[in-house]
């Protein structure tokens, strides 16, 4: 379901009005209706027929370099769908309430008079800070604002609204949007507040890729249900949930033709990593039990085609696949299977419910349209991503994923999110960021504003490094006592995973007991006005955030601001 823009409000731009509100949704025919939260888009042609489903939200379809302006309206209840969890956070539950290491003190993530507040983040967008949808920009249904609340065109909004502008300067890609409310992102997204945001361009249309009904977006999530079909949030008790949900439906199937399809996959789960393959039934129809496919794109757009049999996708990552059903007899079933993948990666055995079957493709439709005229994967010529290499002068910045003990609060560099930015990046510069992860699980790290490439990874003596870092934190944080990372390497750098090579990303898996390095080229915010709205472009200093996209970790403080400072003439990234 795609939202319809109104091009008459801002010349040269597409305008939308999106309302967050509760609704009813049936996740499976055998389940009763659940109360959920979703986004509804105003229909400029039918004022009384808003576009939406109740759960999730309508898709944005944007044209590259044509800006989008959105008014977001909050009409959710003032009592949370998972109010008991809100009360536990407010009450100081040590596993839910951020408790920073010394010398810092805990601050409530939301005010006493707020049970629900929200803000929309365009994930993957090249966006000015005032339209980025960071947690401190939250606003409630009854008009309470977080300290960093911003809006364009203040005279055109009510207290429960905000107007944001998006440049759409990104490469053609599948981005997404989701709630980023301070202290309750995990609960708000679990309730349904997420959706897709496509950037299209004419060059992609000429590549011969499957389009229309043969391009299939798939939002993968996991959910748990009460007996009556209502949503149960159980991640205060365990890792992950027990039922696969794709595009809002539990265990769905899709009837397909014997032809090539383009699958646009988003891992929209709160916590769960998925290791996916496509199992064929009956098995004897292929020489191997799995149907091969081609990876043609990742988070931020297309890349060189890569033949694959399986892949690991962490929360918030996107994978763009070509899969060919043409060699399968009618009646063949292809099951998207999750295998050997605990909720977290690599995970602890027995932690969280396992999910095997995710959804099924059934080859039951006759070939239409005079046959498949799309380009075979081995004949595709796709836009390539130019490799960026560091120089001896490239600035390196280190981020330690710190947790003093199991189930305790996680932070970056042992500093809570609420503390002011301590990292200042020169506008226009290129930097290497090193995520040091001595933990037992991987963390999907997302950096707002930028696209990056995975440079390499290197194994470390995790226990030794953790012990010395603990001593540094609890010993007064003396600069001379900070452990030197190079003293803890246990092997040489390891190249990126094959699916990361020559790929433009905005989420990276920071694997356990390793340092993961990314390189971010030409760091610069969009400074020009959007849709001729005064003050809509970025101003310096421009502060953004980065964080773990395991949403429960983000809410528990694994998130920090960083700031771009002026250095050279202003420009917009193209």
């Amino acid at each position: 379901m795609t939202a319809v823009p109104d091009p008459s409000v801002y010349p040269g731009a597409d305008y939308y009005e999106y309302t967050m509100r509760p609704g009813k949704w049936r996740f499976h025919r055998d389940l009763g209706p659940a109360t959920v939260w979703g986004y509804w888009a105003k229909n400029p042609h039918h004022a009384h027929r808003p576009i939406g489903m109740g759960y999730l939200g309508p898709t944005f379809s944007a044209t590259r370099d044509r800006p989008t302006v959105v008014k977001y309206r909050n009409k959710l209840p003032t009592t949370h769908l998972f109010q008991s969890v809100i009360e536990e956070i407010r009450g100081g539950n040590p596993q839910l309430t951020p408790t920073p290491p010394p010398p810092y003190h805990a601050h409530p993530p939301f005010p006493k008079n707020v049970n629900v507040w929200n803000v929309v983040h365009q994930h993957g967008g090249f966006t000015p800070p005032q339209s980025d949808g960071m947690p401190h920009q939250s606003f409630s249904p009854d008009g309470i604002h977080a300290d960093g609340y911003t809006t364009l065109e203040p005279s055109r909004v009510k207290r429960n609204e905000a107007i944001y502008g998006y440049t759409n300067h990104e490469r053609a890609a599948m981005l997404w949007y989701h709630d980023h409310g301070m202290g309750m992102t995990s609960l708000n997204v679990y309730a349904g507040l997420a959706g897709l945001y496509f950037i299209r361009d004419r060059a992609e249309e000429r590549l011969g890729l499957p389009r229309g009904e043969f391009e299939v977006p798939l939002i993968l999530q996991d959910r748990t249900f009460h007996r009556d079909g209502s949503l149960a949030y159980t991640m205060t008790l365990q890792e992950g949930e027990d039922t696969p949900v794709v595009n809002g439906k539990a265990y769905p199937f899709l009837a397909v033709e014997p032809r090539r399809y383009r699958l646009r996959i988003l891992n929209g789960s709160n916590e769960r990593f998925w290791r996916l393959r496509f199992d064929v039934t009956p098995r004897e129809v292929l020489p191997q039990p799995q149907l091969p496919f081609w990876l043609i794109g990742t988070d931020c757009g297309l890349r060189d085609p890569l033949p694959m049999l399986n892949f690991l996708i962490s929360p918030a990552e996107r994978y763009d696949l070509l899969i060919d059903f043409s060699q399968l007899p009618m009646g063949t079933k292809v099951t998207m299977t999750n295998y050997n993948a605990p909720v977290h990666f690599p995970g602890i055995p027995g932690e969280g419910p396992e999910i095997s079957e995710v959804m099924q493709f059934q080859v039951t439709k006759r070939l239409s349209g005079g046959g498949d005229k799309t380009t075979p994967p081995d004949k595709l010529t796709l836009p390539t991503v130019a490799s960026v290499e560091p120089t001896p002068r490239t600035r390196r910045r280190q981020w330690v994923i710190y947790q003093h003990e199991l189930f305790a609060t996680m932070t970056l560099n042992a500093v809570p999110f609420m503390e002011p930015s301590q990292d200042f990046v020169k506008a226009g510069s290129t930097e290497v960021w090193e995520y040091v992860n001595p933990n037992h699980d991987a963390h999907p790290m997302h950096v707002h504003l930028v696209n990056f490439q995975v440079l390499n990874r290197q194994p470390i003596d995790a226990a030794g490094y953790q012990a010395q870092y603990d001593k540094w934190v609890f010993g007064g944080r003396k600069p001379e006592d900070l452990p030197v990372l190079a003293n803890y390497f246990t092997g040489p750098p390891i190249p990126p995973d094959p699916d990361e090579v020559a790929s433009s990303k905005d989420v990276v898996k920071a694997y356990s007991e390793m340092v993961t390095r990314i390189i971010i080229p030409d760091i610069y915010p969009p400074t020009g006005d959007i849709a001729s709205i005064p003050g809509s472009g970025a101003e310096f200093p421009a502060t953004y955030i980065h964080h773990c996209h395991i949403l429960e970790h983000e809410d528990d403080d694994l998130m920090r601001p960083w700031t771009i400072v002026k250095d050279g003439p202003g420009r917009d990234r193209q």
Side-chain angles (χ1 to χ4, degrees):
M1 186 171 292
T2 302
V4 178
D6 185 345
S8 67
V9 180
Y10 293 93
D14 289 330
Y15 175 72
Y16 300 85
E17 292 187 10
Y18 268 55
T19 299
M20 300 170 254
R21 61 179 175 86
K24 293 292 185 180
W25 181 255
R26 193 183 292 268
F27 286 89
H28 191 275
R29 65 186 180 187
D30 295 334
L31 293 174
T35 299
V36 293
W37 291 356
Y39 299 100
W40 292 80
K42 179 180 178 180
N43 188 333
H45 305 307
H46 300 282
H48 301 293
R49 294 188 201 168
I51 300 168
M53 303 187 301
Y55 183 75
L56 301 175
T59 297
F60 287 92
S61 184
T63 301
R64 185 179 183 183
D65 293 330
R66 179 178 172 85
T68 295
V69 179
V70 190
K71 177 186 282 188
Y72 292 110
R73 182 178 298 110
N74 193 343
K75 286 197 171 182
L76 292 167
T78 54
T79 300
H80 208 284
L81 189 59
F82 306 109
Q83 184 64 27
S84 62
V85 184
I86 295 293
E87 298 299 343
E88 287 192 65
I89 296 170
R90 183 174 281 122
N93 182 319
Q95 292 189 28
L96 301 177
T97 308
T99 306
Y104 299 105
H105 300 285
H107 296 282
F110 38 81
K112 292 182 179 180
N113 58 342
V114 169
N115 298 313
V116 176
W117 63 3
N118 311 85
V119 67
V120 180
H121 170 54
Q122 185 204 36
H123 181 118
F126 180 57
T127 308
Q130 59 268 45
S131 294
D132 190 61
M134 291 176 276
H136 54 275
Q137 296 169 324
S138 300
F139 56 101
S140 74
D142 50 350
I144 299 170
H145 294 169
D147 290 343
Y149 168 85
T150 58
T151 183
L152 307 183
E153 305 267 68
S155 63
R156 299 184 61 173
V157 299
K158 298 177 181 177
R159 294 281 303 175
N160 66 330
E161 297 175 339
I163 293 176
Y164 286 175
Y166 304 135
T167 66
N168 297 329
H169 282 339
E170 301 81 12
R171 300 170 64 222
M174 186 179 81
L175 312 182
W176 62 303
Y177 65 98
H178 61 80
D179 188 87
H180 220 317
M182 183 65 204
M184 57 182 79
T185 296
S186 56
L187 301 176
N188 294 342
V189 173
Y190 193 86
L193 294 178
L196 298 178
Y197 193 112
F198 282 95
I199 307 288
R200 305 287 191 182
D201 67 19
R202 292 180 180 177
E204 186 182 55
E205 296 174 359
R206 296 191 291 265
L207 295 174
L209 298 173
R211 299 170 59 184
E213 64 180 296
F214 309 114
E215 180 185 25
V216 182
L218 300 173
I219 303 175
L220 274 55
Q221 298 174 313
D222 54 329
R223 296 291 184 263
T224 294
F225 303 98
H226 295 293
R227 289 181 177 273
D228 63 359
S230 61
L231 281 170
Y233 180 87
T234 68
M235 283 183 280
T236 55
L237 308 173
Q238 64 182 13
E239 294 177 356
E241 304 291 358
D242 61 14
T243 303
V245 171
V246 183
N247 294 352
K249 292 296 182 180
Y251 296 105
F253 71 90
L254 178 67
V256 297
E257 298 180 11
R259 58 176 297 150
R260 286 182 286 272
Y261 279 73
R262 185 180 184 184
L263 305 183
R264 313 294 296 270
I265 298 177
L266 160 68
N267 182 352
S269 296
N270 280 33
E271 294 193 346
R272 184 178 291 273
F273 286 65
W274 304 85
R275 185 184 289 278
L276 300 172
R277 68 189 185 204
F278 296 91
D279 290 339
V280 177
T281 306
R283 289 193 172 185
E284 59 269 18
V285 303
L286 288 177
Q288 70 282 330
Q290 281 87 43
L291 182 63
F293 57 90
W294 293 71
L295 175 70
I296 62 168
T298 54
D299 303 340
C300 305
L302 296 169
R303 50 152 290 156
D304 286 330
L306 175 69
M308 302 183 77
L309 284 172
N310 59 76
F311 63 100
L312 177 72
I313 183 169
S314 69
E317 284 190 296
R318 285 89 71 204
Y319 276 62
D320 192 348
L321 311 181
L322 280 185
I323 188 165
D324 191 350
F325 299 109
S326 66
Q327 303 305 310
L328 302 178
M330 294 295 284
T332 302
K333 297 178 180 179
V334 178
T335 302
M336 182 189 288
T337 303
N338 182 44
Y339 73 102
N340 192 26
V343 176
H344 293 177
F345 180 82
I348 299 174
E351 287 292 322
E354 294 185 8
I355 293 175
S356 177
E357 294 184 3
V358 180
M359 68 169 294
Q360 194 172 86
F361 301 89
Q362 300 175 357
V363 186
T364 55
K365 298 175 72 175
R366 298 294 177 186
L367 192 62
S368 64
D372 189 350
K373 298 180 177 62
T374 61
T375 305
D378 57 350
K379 300 284 196 302
L380 276 173
T381 302
L382 299 180
T384 57
V385 178
S387 178
V388 181
E389 297 295 335
T391 70
R393 297 181 63 185
T394 303
R395 171 74 158 85
R396 290 177 180 258
R397 198 174 297 274
Q398 194 173 102
W399 304 97
V400 179
I401 299 170
Y402 179 69
Q403 185 181 36
H404 175 57
E405 58 187 17
L406 196 62
F407 304 122
T409 292
M410 294 183 181
T411 55
L412 288 166
N413 292 346
V415 180
F417 173 68
M418 293 289 198
E419 290 298 309
S421 176
Q422 299 173 354
D423 289 87
F424 299 92
V425 177
K426 289 185 178 181
S429 64
T430 293
E431 291 200 353
V432 171
W433 287 12
E434 300 180 325
Y435 287 105
V436 184
N437 183 9
N439 300 167
H440 64 281
D441 284 331
H443 296 274
M445 301 305 302
H446 169 49
V447 187
H448 286 211
L449 174 72
V450 302
N451 298 345
F452 55 75
Q453 295 176 28
V454 181
L455 198 58
N456 59 45
R457 295 181 175 89
Q458 195 162 3
I460 60 172
D461 171 10
Y465 184 85
Q466 175 79 34
Q468 291 303 311
Y469 204 84
D470 279 338
K471 287 184 179 179
W472 175 75
V473 169
F474 288 89
R477 301 179 185 239
K478 299 175 183 177
E480 63 270 20
D481 294 337
L482 180 68
V484 177
L485 182 62
N487 295 339
Y488 296 88
F489 294 147
T490 58
I494 300 167
D497 294 340
D499 55 298
E500 296 170 328
V501 174
S503 292
S504 186
K505 301 275 294 167
D506 59 46
V507 178
V508 64
K509 305 177 191 78
Y511 289 142
S512 61
E513 301 177 14
M514 283 192 172
V515 53
T516 297
R517 300 184 180 96
I518 62 174
I519 185 165
I520 312 172
D522 192 25
I523 302 170
Y524 212 95
T527 53
D529 284 344
I530 298 171
S532 301
I533 300 174
S536 55
E539 297 181 357
F540 295 102
T543 296
Y544 293 87
I545 66 171
H546 66 133
H547 59 87
C548 177
H549 225 287
I550 293 175
L551 299 182
E552 283 68 19
H553 291 179
E554 170 195 318
D555 282 344
D556 200 29
D557 239 20
L558 194 49
M559 177 167 59
R560 279 294 289 152
W562 58 281
T563 301
I564 306 172
V565 293
K566 180 74 171 172
D567 183 43
R571 65 193 185 280
D572 276 356
R573 185 182 73 189
Q574 298 297 321

